[in-house]
Amino acid sequence: MSVLIYAENAGGTFKKSVFEAVSYAKAIADQNNTDLVAISIGDVDAAGLASLGKYGAKKVLNVSGDKLKNFINQAYASIIAEAAKKEGADVVVLSNTFSGRGLAPRLGVKLEAGVADGAVALPEQNDGKFRVKKTAFSGKAFAVVELTSANKVIALIPNSYKVVETGGIAQVEDFAAATKQSDFKAIIKEIVRAADKVSLPDAEIVVSAGRGLKGPENWGMIEELANLLGAATACSKPVSDAGWRPHSEHVGQTGIAVSPNLYIAIGISGAIQHLAGISSSKVIVVINKDPEAPFFKVADYGIVGDAFEVVPQLIATVKEYKA
Ligand code: FAD
């Protein structure tokens, strides 16, 4: 028996969410007195691969190749499933990212495994039962699911488990995966990146604004605050529907779900559909001129005030602090 963690990379480097998932998978391996094996697909250099040992991976399987540089759900799922079978892994752990959420159900089918996506805590293993706490109803509630099948797939929400350094360097092995032509039905022709922008789904800090900003011409201060904090920018649905901001920034039930350490909501009312996408945030700061705005009910810190007065003051304070 072993535990397999899929360590996804972004342009050849691992993000913090991967170190969290490796630490989490290592804790599951320890619960079961077994080893942790990692698998990386794409172009990560030798030092990067070996660094996964710091968080508990004993061995890293490296799969590279021109066709595998970019994430292709079918092909990646086939490779991870093949590695899981070869390693005799009962538990496969992923990060609950855009790609992790796509891979989890495919792996569930390929491995005949029970799937818990949106996991937020280590599994409880008592009396032969394997239970995982996960988010439910777009993050509005938690559920504890029991995985009764022999194989299990768990996708861990970023920022829900701490990075634990256990020391060590992993042994890196090339893994020759037997992909088929039918695994490459999707072809990525071009990837267009928003220049110098922090990626919203992975951001640790998000500065988000809503209709209270009145119009697209007022987003300069939102971008300035985000730049100063190293944050991604986001918005409510009506804002992207109106074309004030791109749809890629729309957060909520029908948009992107984020789980940053800090979510700053400016001029957003806090409708339930918006909250569905942000409820896994660690700390929520709300700036709204209406003291009755529903967002204040879920805020850790609230500022009742006009965004056009509060945000410039916040920018000035951050600048002063950084100087
Ligand atoms: P408003 O509701 O207009 O709120 C603006 C807020 O700004 C108010 O609270 C106001 O007090 C405050 N404000 C105004 N001026 C200022 C100022 N100068 N300074 C500070 N504060 C100010 N919404 C999403 O965001 N994401 C979704 O995924 C989503 N999915 C949906 C799915 C469905 C099926 C439906 C029906 C709706 C969905 N919505 C979604 C829409 C959602 O219900 C709300 O209508 C929307 O979130 C409101 O956006 P808002 O808060 O920006 O605007």
Side-chain angles (χ1 to χ4, degrees), residues 209-214 235-239 250-256 266-275 277 287-290 293-295 305-308:
R211 214 150 43 176
L213 267 272
K214 317 284 185 233
C235 67
S236 64
K237 182 172 183 293
V239 162
H250 155 200
V251 161
Q253 184 184 321
T254 47
I256 291 176
I266 304 164
I268 305 177
S269 57
I272 192 149
Q273 296 89 355
H274 186 85
L275 300 184
I287 301 168
N288 197 304
K289 70 175 186 185
D290 175 8
F295 223 139
D306 187 328
F308 297 97

Side-chain angles (χ1 to χ4, degrees), residues 189-200:
K189 297 221 161 167
E190 189 189 4
I191 293 182
V192 182
R193 293 189 197 283
D196 297 332
K197 284 245 172 179
V198 178
S199 143
L200 179 56

